Amino acid sequence: MATQSEGNPTDEATPEVQAAEELTVEQKLEEDLAKEKDKHLRLFAEFENYKKRTSKERIELFRTANQEVLQALLPVLDDFDRAMAQISKSEDEVLLKGVELIHEKLKSILVSKGLEEVEIKSGDAFDADFAEAITQIPAPSDDLKGKIVDVIEKGYKLGDKIIRFPKVILGQ
């Protein structure tokens, strides 16, 4: 029995050591779990940021996808404006009404696609960020010096981006 009693103390010490090892194993598992949770949260946040970024890029792409087509149609719109000015001088009201209808239909379609006219008129202060100066002429009056005297070509923007700057004449 002495051999059994000698075995018992070592058996009793072993469970205590095993309990200490189990705590360390539990702690290691908890640490691993915490690391994996942190890794998962970071990956999830990164994925959410990716989704937001691609969604924003997609919206911007859709918003400006028509830019080339709209820019190609701007000379047609200018021709309509010039035609309207000339036809309005004639006395043919039926022709004027027909061209007006087509002109308004084209404008409404372009506006529905996001095209907006850059609001600028004679007498406004010149800002190179919003207009392109073609030439300078002597100002017809003192209050037009350094300001816009005439708008030669309308400018347009698509959303917040100017796709064609208005062409203006400045007074000096």
Side-chain angles (χ1 to χ4, degrees):
M1 283 201 153
T3 52
Q4 285 179 354
S5 63
E6 286 176 10
N8 283 342
T10 48
D11 287 340
E12 288 176 14
T14 306
E16 289 175 3
V17 171
Q18 286 177 348
E21 286 178 6
E22 285 179 14
L23 288 178
T24 58
V25 168
E26 282 181 18
Q27 288 173 348
K28 285 181 183 179
L29 289 175
E30 286 176 4
E31 287 175 7
D32 288 345
L33 179 63
K35 286 179 186 176
E36 290 300 320
K37 280 184 180 179
D38 183 55
K39 189 177 178 181
H40 174 71
L41 285 175
R42 289 178 188 274
L43 187 61
F44 183 74
E46 187 177 325
F47 181 67
E48 285 297 315
N49 289 338
Y50 168 77
K51 282 184 4 183
K52 287 178 186 175
R53 185 176 64 246
T54 55
S55 174
K56 188 177 180 180
E57 288 171 355
R58 175 193 249 141
I59 289 169
E60 185 64 28
L61 179 65
F62 284 135
R63 190 175 294 152
T64 59
N66 297 331
Q67 180 175 341
E68 288 182 25
V69 174
L70 293 176
Q71 280 178 318
L73 289 174
L74 291 180
V76 176
L77 193 58
D78 292 336
D79 290 343
F80 262 112
D81 289 337
R82 286 189 284 274
M84 292 292 298
Q86 292 302 315
I87 293 172
S88 65
K89 292 178 184 176
S90 75
E91 295 180 14
D92 192 352
E93 291 182 26
V94 176
L95 177 63
L96 178 62
K97 190 70 172 170
V99 174
E100 248 178 23
L101 288 173
I102 296 169
H103 182 250
E104 288 305 314
K105 190 173 190 178
L106 177 63
K107 279 177 85 172
S108 67
I109 290 171
L110 295 177
V111 167
S112 73
K113 299 299 179 191
L115 187 71
E116 296 176 45
E117 189 176 324
V118 175
E119 295 295 325
I120 197 164
K121 59 186 181 305
S122 181
D124 288 349
F126 175 71
D127 186 356
D129 292 335
F130 297 106
E132 180 181 341
I134 299 297
T135 187
Q136 291 184 350
I137 62 169
S141 62
D142 287 341
D143 61 328
L144 288 177
K145 286 186 177 181
K147 294 187 178 181
I148 297 170
V149 174
D150 193 16
V151 178
I152 301 299
E153 189 176 70
K154 293 179 183 178
Y156 294 95
K157 60 184 178 176
L158 184 59
D160 294 334
K161 182 181 177 186
I162 296 179
I163 61 173
R164 186 174 83 181
F165 288 90
K167 293 178 175 50
V168 297
I169 296 175
L170 294 180
Q172 64 178 14

PDB file of all heavy atoms in Angstrom, residues 110-145:
ATOM      1  N   LEU A 110     -33.108  66.431 -71.991  1.00  0.00           N
ATOM      2  CA  LEU A 110     -31.748  66.660 -71.488  1.00  0.00           C
ATOM      3  C   LEU A 110     -31.765  67.020 -70.003  1.00  0.00           C
ATOM      4  O   LEU A 110     -30.903  66.563 -69.239  1.00  0.00           O
ATOM      5  CB  LEU A 110     -31.059  67.743 -72.309  1.00  0.00           C
ATOM      6  CG  LEU A 110     -30.802  67.390 -73.777  1.00  0.00           C
ATOM      7  CD1 LEU A 110     -30.186  68.571 -74.510  1.00  0.00           C
ATOM      8  CD2 LEU A 110     -29.939  66.163 -73.909  1.00  0.00           C
ATOM      9  N   VAL A 111     -32.745  67.804 -69.588  1.00  0.00           N
ATOM     10  CA  VAL A 111     -32.865  68.163 -68.168  1.00  0.00           C
ATOM     11  C   VAL A 111     -33.184  66.915 -67.340  1.00  0.00           C
ATOM     12  O   VAL A 111     -32.659  66.741 -66.231  1.00  0.00           O
ATOM     13  CB  VAL A 111     -33.919  69.273 -67.969  1.00  0.00           C
ATOM     14  CG1 VAL A 111     -34.295  69.429 -66.509  1.00  0.00           C
ATOM     15  CG2 VAL A 111     -33.412  70.581 -68.529  1.00  0.00           C
ATOM     16  N   SER A 112     -34.019  66.033 -67.875  1.00  0.00           N
ATOM     17  CA  SER A 112     -34.351  64.807 -67.132  1.00  0.00           C
ATOM     18  C   SER A 112     -33.139  63.904 -66.963  1.00  0.00           C
ATOM     19  O   SER A 112     -33.081  63.094 -66.042  1.00  0.00           O
ATOM     20  CB  SER A 112     -35.481  64.048 -67.828  1.00  0.00           C
ATOM     21  OG  SER A 112     -35.016  63.432 -69.013  1.00  0.00           O
ATOM     22  N   LYS A 113     -32.151  64.046 -67.831  1.00  0.00           N
ATOM     23  CA  LYS A 113     -30.911  63.265 -67.723  1.00  0.00           C
ATOM     24  C   LYS A 113     -29.868  63.958 -66.860  1.00  0.00           C
ATOM     25  O   LYS A 113     -28.754  63.471 -66.714  1.00  0.00           O
ATOM     26  CB  LYS A 113     -30.323  62.989 -69.112  1.00  0.00           C
ATOM     27  CG  LYS A 113     -31.249  62.189 -70.010  1.00  0.00           C
ATOM     28  CD  LYS A 113     -31.558  60.837 -69.420  1.00  0.00           C
ATOM     29  CE  LYS A 113     -32.502  60.058 -70.302  1.00  0.00           C
ATOM     30  NZ  LYS A 113     -33.020  58.875 -69.671  1.00  0.00           N
ATOM     31  N   GLY A 114     -30.233  65.111 -66.273  1.00  0.00           N
ATOM     32  CA  GLY A 114     -29.350  65.785 -65.319  1.00  0.00           C
ATOM     33  C   GLY A 114     -28.658  67.017 -65.849  1.00  0.00           C
ATOM     34  O   GLY A 114     -27.850  67.625 -65.150  1.00  0.00           O
ATOM     35  N   LEU A 115     -28.926  67.410 -67.074  1.00  0.00           N
ATOM     36  CA  LEU A 115     -28.278  68.585 -67.652  1.00  0.00           C
ATOM     37  C   LEU A 115     -28.917  69.854 -67.096  1.00  0.00           C
ATOM     38  O   LEU A 115     -30.140  69.965 -67.022  1.00  0.00           O
ATOM     39  CB  LEU A 115     -28.417  68.563 -69.178  1.00  0.00           C
ATOM     40  CG  LEU A 115     -27.640  69.644 -69.930  1.00  0.00           C
ATOM     41  CD1 LEU A 115     -26.143  69.351 -69.860  1.00  0.00           C
ATOM     42  CD2 LEU A 115     -28.086  69.716 -71.367  1.00  0.00           C
ATOM     43  N   GLU A 116     -28.088  70.795 -66.696  1.00  0.00           N
ATOM     44  CA  GLU A 116     -28.561  72.081 -66.189  1.00  0.00           C
ATOM     45  C   GLU A 116     -27.786  73.189 -66.878  1.00  0.00           C
ATOM     46  O   GLU A 116     -26.597  73.044 -67.146  1.00  0.00           O
ATOM     47  CB  GLU A 116     -28.323  72.209 -64.683  1.00  0.00           C
ATOM     48  CG  GLU A 116     -29.070  71.226 -63.828  1.00  0.00           C
ATOM     49  CD  GLU A 116     -28.694  71.369 -62.365  1.00  0.00           C
ATOM     50  OE1 GLU A 116     -28.634  72.520 -61.874  1.00  0.00           O
ATOM     51  OE2 GLU A 116     -28.441  70.344 -61.733  1.00  0.00           O
ATOM     52  N   GLU A 117     -28.455  74.300 -67.123  1.00  0.00           N
ATOM     53  CA  GLU A 117     -27.782  75.445 -67.714  1.00  0.00           C
ATOM     54  C   GLU A 117     -27.050  76.204 -66.614  1.00  0.00           C
ATOM     55  O   GLU A 117     -27.574  76.384 -65.512  1.00  0.00           O
ATOM     56  CB  GLU A 117     -28.813  76.355 -68.383  1.00  0.00           C
ATOM     57  CG  GLU A 117     -28.211  77.465 -69.201  1.00  0.00           C
ATOM     58  CD  GLU A 117     -29.254  78.284 -69.931  1.00  0.00           C
ATOM     59  OE1 GLU A 117     -30.261  77.707 -70.386  1.00  0.00           O
ATOM     60  OE2 GLU A 117     -29.056  79.515 -70.033  1.00  0.00           O
ATOM     61  N   VAL A 118     -25.833  76.661 -66.920  1.00  0.00           N
ATOM     62  CA  VAL A 118     -25.084  77.488 -65.973  1.00  0.00           C
ATOM     63  C   VAL A 118     -25.677  78.886 -66.055  1.00  0.00           C
ATOM     64  O   VAL A 118     -25.689  79.505 -67.121  1.00  0.00           O
ATOM     65  CB  VAL A 118     -23.577  77.503 -66.315  1.00  0.00           C
ATOM     66  CG1 VAL A 118     -22.832  78.457 -65.392  1.00  0.00           C
ATOM     67  CG2 VAL A 118     -22.990  76.109 -66.218  1.00  0.00           C
ATOM     68  N   GLU A 119     -26.211  79.342 -64.933  1.00  0.00           N
ATOM     69  CA  GLU A 119     -26.867  80.652 -64.898  1.00  0.00           C
ATOM     70  C   GLU A 119     -25.814  81.756 -64.869  1.00  0.00           C
ATOM     71  O   GLU A 119     -25.101  81.925 -63.878  1.00  0.00           O
ATOM     72  CB  GLU A 119     -27.772  80.763 -63.671  1.00  0.00           C
ATOM     73  CG  GLU A 119     -28.947  79.804 -63.687  1.00  0.00           C
ATOM     74  CD  GLU A 119     -29.933  80.075 -64.805  1.00  0.00           C
ATOM     75  OE1 GLU A 119     -30.136  81.262 -65.147  1.00  0.00           O
ATOM     76  OE2 GLU A 119     -30.482  79.101 -65.343  1.00  0.00           O
ATOM     77  N   ILE A 120     -25.711  82.460 -65.973  1.00  0.00           N
ATOM     78  CA  ILE A 120     -24.792  83.597 -66.064  1.00  0.00           C
ATOM     79  C   ILE A 120     -25.399  84.572 -67.065  1.00  0.00           C
ATOM     80  O   ILE A 120     -25.976  84.160 -68.068  1.00  0.00           O
ATOM     81  CB  ILE A 120     -23.377  83.124 -66.467  1.00  0.00           C
ATOM     82  CG1 ILE A 120     -22.357  84.171 -66.171  1.00  0.00           C
ATOM     83  CG2 ILE A 120     -23.327  82.669 -67.883  1.00  0.00           C
ATOM     84  CD1 ILE A 120     -20.931  83.655 -66.178  1.00  0.00           C
ATOM     85  N   LYS A 121     -25.288  85.863 -66.766  1.00  0.00           N
ATOM     86  CA  LYS A 121     -25.894  86.849 -67.660  1.00  0.00           C
ATOM     87  C   LYS A 121     -25.030  88.104 -67.709  1.00  0.00           C
ATOM     88  O   LYS A 121     -24.086  88.257 -66.937  1.00  0.00           O
ATOM     89  CB  LYS A 121     -27.317  87.172 -67.207  1.00  0.00           C
ATOM     90  CG  LYS A 121     -27.430  87.732 -65.806  1.00  0.00           C
ATOM     91  CD  LYS A 121     -28.879  87.879 -65.389  1.00  0.00           C
ATOM     92  CE  LYS A 121     -29.046  88.445 -64.012  1.00  0.00           C
ATOM     93  NZ  LYS A 121     -28.387  87.802 -62.937  1.00  0.00           N
ATOM     94  N   SER A 122     -25.390  88.961 -68.620  1.00  0.00           N
ATOM     95  CA  SER A 122     -24.674  90.224 -68.790  1.00  0.00           C
ATOM     96  C   SER A 122     -24.775  91.040 -67.501  1.00  0.00           C
ATOM     97  O   SER A 122     -25.840  91.141 -66.896  1.00  0.00           O
ATOM     98  CB  SER A 122     -25.295  90.991 -69.951  1.00  0.00           C
ATOM     99  OG  SER A 122     -24.615  92.198 -70.143  1.00  0.00           O
ATOM    100  N   GLY A 123     -23.647  91.587 -67.081  1.00  0.00           N
ATOM    101  CA  GLY A 123     -23.613  92.393 -65.858  1.00  0.00           C
ATOM    102  C   GLY A 123     -23.093  91.631 -64.656  1.00  0.00           C
ATOM    103  O   GLY A 123     -22.761  92.227 -63.633  1.00  0.00           O
ATOM    104  N   ASP A 124     -22.997  90.290 -64.753  1.00  0.00           N
ATOM    105  CA  ASP A 124     -22.452  89.490 -63.651  1.00  0.00           C
ATOM    106  C   ASP A 124     -20.941  89.683 -63.566  1.00  0.00           C
ATOM    107  O   ASP A 124     -20.275  89.958 -64.568  1.00  0.00           O
ATOM    108  CB  ASP A 124     -22.741  88.002 -63.861  1.00  0.00           C
ATOM    109  CG  ASP A 124     -24.201  87.648 -63.648  1.00  0.00           C
ATOM    110  OD1 ASP A 124     -24.953  88.502 -63.138  1.00  0.00           O
ATOM    111  OD2 ASP A 124     -24.587  86.515 -63.995  1.00  0.00           O
ATOM    112  N   ALA A 125     -20.409  89.516 -62.375  1.00  0.00           N
ATOM    113  CA  ALA A 125     -18.962  89.560 -62.188  1.00  0.00           C
ATOM    114  C   ALA A 125     -18.347  88.316 -62.827  1.00  0.00           C
ATOM    115  O   ALA A 125     -18.916  87.230 -62.765  1.00  0.00           O
ATOM    116  CB  ALA A 125     -18.618  89.621 -60.706  1.00  0.00           C
ATOM    117  N   PHE A 126     -17.198  88.480 -63.454  1.00  0.00           N
ATOM    118  CA  PHE A 126     -16.545  87.358 -64.120  1.00  0.00           C
ATOM    119  C   PHE A 126     -15.834  86.488 -63.095  1.00  0.00           C
ATOM    120  O   PHE A 126     -15.122  86.976 -62.229  1.00  0.00           O
ATOM    121  CB  PHE A 126     -15.544  87.867 -65.162  1.00  0.00           C
ATOM    122  CG  PHE A 126     -14.756  86.770 -65.806  1.00  0.00           C
ATOM    123  CD1 PHE A 126     -15.361  85.907 -66.699  1.00  0.00           C
ATOM    124  CD2 PHE A 126     -13.417  86.579 -65.514  1.00  0.00           C
ATOM    125  CE1 PHE A 126     -14.646  84.874 -67.297  1.00  0.00           C
ATOM    126  CE2 PHE A 126     -12.695  85.562 -66.105  1.00  0.00           C
ATOM    127  CZ  PHE A 126     -13.315  84.710 -66.997  1.00  0.00           C
ATOM    128  N   ASP A 127     -16.046  85.193 -63.201  1.00  0.00           N
ATOM    129  CA  ASP A 127     -15.376  84.205 -62.359  1.00  0.00           C
ATOM    130  C   ASP A 127     -14.846  83.116 -63.281  1.00  0.00           C
ATOM    131  O   ASP A 127     -15.622  82.417 -63.934  1.00  0.00           O
ATOM    132  CB  ASP A 127     -16.352  83.621 -61.337  1.00  0.00           C
ATOM    133  CG  ASP A 127     -15.673  82.699 -60.339  1.00  0.00           C
ATOM    134  OD1 ASP A 127     -14.452  82.452 -60.473  1.00  0.00           O
ATOM    135  OD2 ASP A 127     -16.362  82.228 -59.415  1.00  0.00           O
ATOM    136  N   ALA A 128     -13.534  82.977 -63.345  1.00  0.00           N
ATOM    137  CA  ALA A 128     -12.906  82.010 -64.255  1.00  0.00           C
ATOM    138  C   ALA A 128     -13.256  80.569 -63.909  1.00  0.00           C
ATOM    139  O   ALA A 128     -13.084  79.681 -64.740  1.00  0.00           O
ATOM    140  CB  ALA A 128     -11.396  82.187 -64.245  1.00  0.00           C
ATOM    141  N   ASP A 129     -13.769  80.327 -62.712  1.00  0.00           N
ATOM    142  CA  ASP A 129     -14.173  78.972 -62.334  1.00  0.00           C
ATOM    143  C   ASP A 129     -15.496  78.570 -62.977  1.00  0.00           C
ATOM    144  O   ASP A 129     -15.817  77.386 -63.043  1.00  0.00           O
ATOM    145  CB  ASP A 129     -14.293  78.845 -60.811  1.00  0.00           C
ATOM    146  CG  ASP A 129     -12.951  78.948 -60.125  1.00  0.00           C
ATOM    147  OD1 ASP A 129     -11.923  78.640 -60.768  1.00  0.00           O
ATOM    148  OD2 ASP A 129     -12.922  79.337 -58.935  1.00  0.00           O
ATOM    149  N   PHE A 130     -16.273  79.563 -63.424  1.00  0.00           N
ATOM    150  CA  PHE A 130     -17.603  79.274 -63.958  1.00  0.00           C
ATOM    151  C   PHE A 130     -17.820  79.757 -65.382  1.00  0.00           C
ATOM    152  O   PHE A 130     -18.879  79.539 -65.943  1.00  0.00           O
ATOM    153  CB  PHE A 130     -18.685  79.875 -63.044  1.00  0.00           C
ATOM    154  CG  PHE A 130     -18.670  79.283 -61.672  1.00  0.00           C
ATOM    155  CD1 PHE A 130     -18.171  80.001 -60.600  1.00  0.00           C
ATOM    156  CD2 PHE A 130     -19.147  78.007 -61.447  1.00  0.00           C
ATOM    157  CE1 PHE A 130     -18.152  79.456 -59.321  1.00  0.00           C
ATOM    158  CE2 PHE A 130     -19.130  77.453 -60.177  1.00  0.00           C
ATOM    159  CZ  PHE A 130     -18.638  78.175 -59.124  1.00  0.00           C
ATOM    160  N   ALA A 131     -16.854  80.455 -65.968  1.00  0.00           N
ATOM    161  CA  ALA A 131     -17.030  80.971 -67.326  1.00  0.00           C
ATOM    162  C   ALA A 131     -15.674  81.065 -68.015  1.00  0.00           C
ATOM    163  O   ALA A 131     -14.628  81.120 -67.365  1.00  0.00           O
ATOM    164  CB  ALA A 131     -17.697  82.331 -67.285  1.00  0.00           C
ATOM    165  N   GLU A 132     -15.732  81.104 -69.345  1.00  0.00           N
ATOM    166  CA  GLU A 132     -14.528  81.209 -70.156  1.00  0.00           C
ATOM    167  C   GLU A 132     -14.616  82.524 -70.923  1.00  0.00           C
ATOM    168  O   GLU A 132     -15.563  82.756 -71.678  1.00  0.00           O
ATOM    169  CB  GLU A 132     -14.468  80.032 -71.126  1.00  0.00           C
ATOM    170  CG  GLU A 132     -13.266  80.008 -72.019  1.00  0.00           C
ATOM    171  CD  GLU A 132     -13.281  78.824 -72.975  1.00  0.00           C
ATOM    172  OE1 GLU A 132     -13.997  77.844 -72.726  1.00  0.00           O
ATOM    173  OE2 GLU A 132     -12.573  78.910 -73.985  1.00  0.00           O
ATOM    174  N   ALA A 133     -13.612  83.389 -70.734  1.00  0.00           N
ATOM    175  CA  ALA A 133     -13.598  84.680 -71.415  1.00  0.00           C
ATOM    176  C   ALA A 133     -13.019  84.487 -72.812  1.00  0.00           C
ATOM    177  O   ALA A 133     -11.911  83.989 -72.969  1.00  0.00           O
ATOM    178  CB  ALA A 133     -12.780  85.688 -70.632  1.00  0.00           C
ATOM    179  N   ILE A 134     -13.796  84.877 -73.817  1.00  0.00           N
ATOM    180  CA  ILE A 134     -13.353  84.758 -75.204  1.00  0.00           C
ATOM    181  C   ILE A 134     -12.525  85.973 -75.594  1.00  0.00           C
ATOM    182  O   ILE A 134     -11.466  85.860 -76.193  1.00  0.00           O
ATOM    183  CB  ILE A 134     -14.578  84.624 -76.152  1.00  0.00           C
ATOM    184  CG1 ILE A 134     -15.371  83.376 -75.811  1.00  0.00           C
ATOM    185  CG2 ILE A 134     -14.152  84.595 -77.597  1.00  0.00           C
ATOM    186  CD1 ILE A 134     -14.605  82.099 -75.996  1.00  0.00           C
ATOM    187  N   THR A 135     -13.040  87.130 -75.251  1.00  0.00           N
ATOM    188  CA  THR A 135     -12.357  88.367 -75.608  1.00  0.00           C
ATOM    189  C   THR A 135     -12.772  89.477 -74.645  1.00  0.00           C
ATOM    190  O   THR A 135     -13.690  89.296 -73.839  1.00  0.00           O
ATOM    191  CB  THR A 135     -12.680  88.774 -77.066  1.00  0.00           C
ATOM    192  OG1 THR A 135     -11.862  89.884 -77.430  1.00  0.00           O
ATOM    193  CG2 THR A 135     -14.141  89.113 -77.241  1.00  0.00           C
ATOM    194  N   GLN A 136     -12.083  90.616 -74.768  1.00  0.00           N
ATOM    195  CA  GLN A 136     -12.436  91.793 -73.978  1.00  0.00           C
ATOM    196  C   GLN A 136     -12.717  92.933 -74.947  1.00  0.00           C
ATOM    197  O   GLN A 136     -12.033  93.088 -75.960  1.00  0.00           O
ATOM    198  CB  GLN A 136     -11.305  92.187 -73.035  1.00  0.00           C
ATOM    199  CG  GLN A 136     -11.073  91.208 -71.917  1.00  0.00           C
ATOM    200  CD  GLN A 136      -9.996  91.689 -70.954  1.00  0.00           C
ATOM    201  OE1 GLN A 136      -9.296  92.657 -71.207  1.00  0.00           O
ATOM    202  NE2 GLN A 136      -9.873  90.994 -69.838  1.00  0.00           N
ATOM    203  N   ILE A 137     -13.713  93.707 -74.625  1.00  0.00           N
ATOM    204  CA  ILE A 137     -14.049  94.879 -75.439  1.00  0.00           C
ATOM    205  C   ILE A 137     -14.157  96.073 -74.504  1.00  0.00           C
ATOM    206  O   ILE A 137     -14.307  95.908 -73.288  1.00  0.00           O
ATOM    207  CB  ILE A 137     -15.373  94.671 -76.218  1.00  0.00           C
ATOM    208  CG1 ILE A 137     -16.553  94.462 -75.257  1.00  0.00           C
ATOM    209  CG2 ILE A 137     -15.264  93.514 -77.185  1.00  0.00           C
ATOM    210  CD1 ILE A 137     -17.915  94.517 -75.915  1.00  0.00           C
ATOM    211  N   PRO A 138     -14.071  97.278 -75.061  1.00  0.00           N
ATOM    212  CA  PRO A 138     -14.290  98.444 -74.195  1.00  0.00           C
ATOM    213  C   PRO A 138     -15.699  98.373 -73.608  1.00  0.00           C
ATOM    214  O   PRO A 138     -16.665  98.081 -74.312  1.00  0.00           O
ATOM    215  CB  PRO A 138     -14.150  99.632 -75.154  1.00  0.00           C
ATOM    216  CG  PRO A 138     -13.368  99.112 -76.310  1.00  0.00           C
ATOM    217  CD  PRO A 138     -13.690  97.657 -76.416  1.00  0.00           C
ATOM    218  N   ALA A 139     -15.795  98.596 -72.334  1.00  0.00           N
ATOM    219  CA  ALA A 139     -17.085  98.496 -71.641  1.00  0.00           C
ATOM    220  C   ALA A 139     -18.022  99.591 -72.121  1.00  0.00           C
ATOM    221  O   ALA A 139     -17.623 100.755 -72.215  1.00  0.00           O
ATOM    222  CB  ALA A 139     -16.880  98.597 -70.139  1.00  0.00           C
ATOM    223  N   PRO A 140     -19.281  99.231 -72.464  1.00  0.00           N
ATOM    224  CA  PRO A 140     -20.242 100.236 -72.894  1.00  0.00           C
ATOM    225  C   PRO A 140     -20.576 101.249 -71.793  1.00  0.00           C
ATOM    226  O   PRO A 140     -20.937 102.383 -72.078  1.00  0.00           O
ATOM    227  CB  PRO A 140     -21.483  99.436 -73.266  1.00  0.00           C
ATOM    228  CG  PRO A 140     -21.183  98.011 -73.069  1.00  0.00           C
ATOM    229  CD  PRO A 140     -19.812  97.896 -72.516  1.00  0.00           C
ATOM    230  N   SER A 141     -20.434 100.837 -70.536  1.00  0.00           N
ATOM    231  CA  SER A 141     -20.651 101.761 -69.414  1.00  0.00           C
ATOM    232  C   SER A 141     -19.639 101.424 -68.316  1.00  0.00           C
ATOM    233  O   SER A 141     -19.064 100.344 -68.298  1.00  0.00           O
ATOM    234  CB  SER A 141     -22.083 101.639 -68.886  1.00  0.00           C
ATOM    235  OG  SER A 141     -22.315 100.346 -68.404  1.00  0.00           O
ATOM    236  N   ASP A 142     -19.441 102.371 -67.415  1.00  0.00           N
ATOM    237  CA  ASP A 142     -18.450 102.178 -66.351  1.00  0.00           C
ATOM    238  C   ASP A 142     -18.795 101.026 -65.421  1.00  0.00           C
ATOM    239  O   ASP A 142     -17.901 100.383 -64.871  1.00  0.00           O
ATOM    240  CB  ASP A 142     -18.289 103.464 -65.537  1.00  0.00           C
ATOM    241  CG  ASP A 142     -17.528 104.536 -66.311  1.00  0.00           C
ATOM    242  OD1 ASP A 142     -16.844 104.177 -67.289  1.00  0.00           O
ATOM    243  OD2 ASP A 142     -17.623 105.722 -65.924  1.00  0.00           O
ATOM    244  N   ASP A 143     -20.078 100.757 -65.228  1.00  0.00           N
ATOM    245  CA  ASP A 143     -20.462  99.691 -64.294  1.00  0.00           C
ATOM    246  C   ASP A 143     -20.194  98.299 -64.876  1.00  0.00           C
ATOM    247  O   ASP A 143     -20.241  97.318 -64.149  1.00  0.00           O
ATOM    248  CB  ASP A 143     -21.923  99.842 -63.878  1.00  0.00           C
ATOM    249  CG  ASP A 143     -22.882  99.741 -65.047  1.00  0.00           C
ATOM    250  OD1 ASP A 143     -22.513 100.150 -66.158  1.00  0.00           O
ATOM    251  OD2 ASP A 143     -24.016  99.260 -64.819  1.00  0.00           O
ATOM    252  N   LEU A 144     -19.884  98.181 -66.175  1.00  0.00           N
ATOM    253  CA  LEU A 144     -19.588  96.870 -66.783  1.00  0.00           C
ATOM    254  C   LEU A 144     -18.092  96.597 -66.907  1.00  0.00           C
ATOM    255  O   LEU A 144     -17.707  95.570 -67.461  1.00  0.00           O
ATOM    256  CB  LEU A 144     -20.249  96.771 -68.171  1.00  0.00           C
ATOM    257  CG  LEU A 144     -21.756  96.621 -68.175  1.00  0.00           C
ATOM    258  CD1 LEU A 144     -22.284  96.599 -69.601  1.00  0.00           C
ATOM    259  CD2 LEU A 144     -22.196  95.368 -67.443  1.00  0.00           C
ATOM    260  N   LYS A 145     -17.245  97.484 -66.393  1.00  0.00           N
ATOM    261  CA  LYS A 145     -15.801  97.244 -66.447  1.00  0.00           C
ATOM    262  C   LYS A 145     -15.444  96.052 -65.565  1.00  0.00           C
ATOM    263  O   LYS A 145     -15.794  96.006 -64.397  1.00  0.00           O
ATOM    264  CB  LYS A 145     -15.027  98.477 -65.999  1.00  0.00           C
ATOM    265  CG  LYS A 145     -15.033  99.578 -67.039  1.00  0.00           C
ATOM    266  CD  LYS A 145     -14.139 100.720 -66.643  1.00  0.00           C
ATOM    267  CE  LYS A 145     -14.139 101.742 -67.763  1.00  0.00           C
ATOM    268  NZ  LYS A 145     -13.268 102.866 -67.472  1.00  0.00           N
TER     269      LYS A 145
END
